[in-house]
Amino acid sequence: YLIRTVKELGQEITVLSTYDSRKPGLRPYRKARVDDLETDLFFPAFSLPGAGARLGRMVKSLMDLVCLLLFVKPGATLMVYQHPAFARFLPLVKRLKRARVILEVEEMYHVLEGSRKTFAKERKLLDLADSYLVSNDLIYPEYLRTGRDCAVVYGNYTIPEHPPVGKHDGINILYSGSIDRVRGAFLAVEIARFLPEGYCLHLSGAGQPQDVAELERLIGEINAGKPRPAVIYHGQLDDAGLDRLAFSCDIGLNLQDAQNPFHAVSFPSKIPFYLARGLTVFSTRLSSVMASKLSPCVTYVDMDPQSIAEAILVFRPEAPEANRERIAELDREFSEELSRLLGIERET
């Protein structure tokens, strides 16, 4: 989404991609010209097995540094995903290349890991940045407070074309995301126990094999003896398949654990995904969502399957265009904010 927005502003962009390979050995550098405005550069990957793993990581970091020094032009603007590993070489690249850094802060890893060492790395990146892109409205006042410019983007604001599919019968509910307990997949399935015939829960996403097996066992138990499935697990769908499923549903569920502190330093990107496809969103009471501009578009529920089912039962389908227009409005606002961060003069 960020790449698309930069290009819509008429700017050329070079995407620098570093990745780790699970296979030992060297994977070479690759370059791809996507279109007139975008070029993708994939840094080489290198790893060693067993006792050589640490040495392999050191070599890989050195290769990343060399690639950055080769490909980053003097005075360039760097939009950098805030990962603690980048704290090793980004300060040197910024100094030598006199680069301006826009740090994309989607989450704070130290909250997830509970690690002071990780926080020190994150603090180094936060202090280094010239401006920020953050995923919610709480991160800046809590962690940044630098007086530097900042823009908030909750996720992908792309409004897709409606695929040629119709609605399923009854009321259809979608949970899209990781199959685990923290993000609410199992809570979503439990809701189906309290819904009458005519309601169907659809799930899409991937997870650990044991979690997926437990989910499928639970779905089989709930569906047993019913004339029509109350819950359907679609597996992990590609983008087109997920769009078709979403457009055939009425409600989108975001049921992350409200007691997990990580939600205050991240944002559930599935919420703008649901809204852009016209769904009504039911969400647990996450501080990042409640503080956001999308809060008026969300129906809040407690982390109890029966009370969530009761809220769903009083749901009445709304005009989907209202939610889609709110996302389109945020898209326009973010384009203006990103233009400001990039220093682009726009015609009035």
Side-chain angles (χ1 to χ4, degrees):
Y1 172 68
L2 290 177
I3 295 170
R4 189 210 82 185
T5 306
V6 170
K7 292 196 292 186
E8 286 180 350
L9 292 171
Q11 304 299 300
E12 292 189 21
I13 184 168
T14 300
V15 180
L16 307 177
S17 179
T18 176
Y19 64 100
D20 293 321
S21 174
R22 295 181 180 180
K23 295 181 179 180
L26 176 68
R27 301 193 70 175
Y29 155 84
R30 292 186 295 117
K31 178 178 179 179
R33 183 70 173 176
V34 177
D35 53 39
D36 291 341
L37 292 176
E38 179 186 348
T39 301
D40 294 352
L41 305 181
F42 298 89
F43 292 179
F46 181 77
S47 63
L48 294 173
R54 186 169 182 271
L55 176 60
R57 288 192 295 270
M58 293 173 62
V59 172
K60 175 66 170 64
S61 293
L62 181 60
M63 292 166 63
D64 286 344
L65 175 59
V66 170
C67 286
L68 284 168
L69 294 175
L70 285 174
F71 296 124
V72 173
K73 297 178 180 179
T77 295
L78 296 177
M79 296 174 62
V80 182
Y81 175 72
Q82 184 247 11
H83 190 284
F86 296 159
R88 290 193 297 265
F89 47 74
L90 190 60
L92 179 62
V93 173
K94 179 182 180 182
R95 186 169 67 252
L96 293 179
K97 294 293 184 174
R98 304 184 306 281
R100 190 162 63 94
V101 173
I102 302 174
L103 194 66
E104 181 194 356
V105 185
E106 291 190 16
E107 57 266 303
M108 299 293 292
Y109 284 90
H110 79 277
V111 176
L112 180 64
E113 300 174 4
S115 167
R116 290 188 176 185
K117 184 177 180 181
T118 300
F119 180 63
K121 293 177 180 178
E122 288 186 315
R123 186 74 263 169
K124 189 175 182 180
L125 288 173
L126 295 174
D127 292 341
L128 173 80
D130 297 287
S131 55
Y132 309 94
L133 292 172
V134 296
S135 63
N136 72 37
D137 298 86
L138 304 176
I139 292 174
Y140 189 90
E142 180 65 26
Y143 292 99
L144 304 180
R145 295 191 193 178
T146 59
R148 299 168 197 165
D149 209 351
C150 178
V152 178
V153 56
Y154 303 124
N156 189 337
Y157 299 151
T158 302
I159 305 290
E161 294 293 328
H162 198 309
V165 295
K167 294 282 186 183
H168 294 134
D169 293 336
I171 299 296
N172 288 272
I173 306 157
L174 174 62
Y175 169 91
S176 174
S178 298
I179 304 302
D180 59 36
R181 296 188 182 278
V182 172
R183 290 172 180 81
F186 289 88
L187 175 58
V189 173
E190 289 293 340
I191 295 169
R193 296 185 188 275
F194 303 97
L195 292 174
E197 187 175 348
Y199 289 77
C200 185
L201 172 67
H202 302 265
L203 296 99
S204 173
Q208 295 297 321
Q210 63 271 22
D211 289 332
V212 172
E214 173 62 17
L215 185 85
E216 291 177 328
R217 184 200 66 76
L218 186 60
I219 290 172
E221 175 188 309
I222 292 173
N223 285 339
K226 294 189 176 182
R228 299 175 62 181
V231 187
I232 301 172
Y233 175 50
H234 297 266
Q236 187 170 20
L237 300 173
D238 60 20
D239 291 346
L242 185 56
D243 269 352
R244 286 192 295 271
L245 177 60
F247 273 107
S248 71
C249 291
D250 306 283
I251 292 171
L253 296 178
N254 174 63
L255 301 177
Q256 291 183 24
D257 183 356
Q259 304 303 315
N260 190 318
F262 189 62
H263 71 77
V265 293
S266 60
F267 194 88
S269 58
K270 68 182 68 177
I271 289 181
F273 171 87
Y274 291 150
L275 293 172
R277 287 146 185 84
L279 278 67
T280 296
V281 175
F282 285 68
S283 175
T284 44
R285 302 176 194 278
L286 307 182
S287 58
S288 60
V289 179
M290 297 176 74
S292 75
K293 293 180 180 179
L294 291 176
S295 186
C297 304
V298 175
T299 298
Y300 292 102
V301 294
D302 296 320
M303 293 183 60
D304 171 67
Q306 185 170 357
S307 67
I308 297 172
E310 290 169 356
I312 290 173
L313 288 173
V314 300
F315 161 78
R316 294 295 178 269
E318 301 173 358
E321 289 308 314
N323 286 338
R324 287 165 62 87
E325 177 52 38
R326 183 65 184 114
I327 295 299
E329 183 181 344
L330 287 179
D331 183 42
R332 292 189 291 270
E333 290 177 3
F334 178 66
S335 179
E336 294 285 345
E337 292 176 341
L338 185 59
S339 177
R340 185 188 72 245
L341 291 185
L342 293 173
I344 301 171
E345 294 186 5
R346 305 185 71 178
E347 295 182 3
T348 57

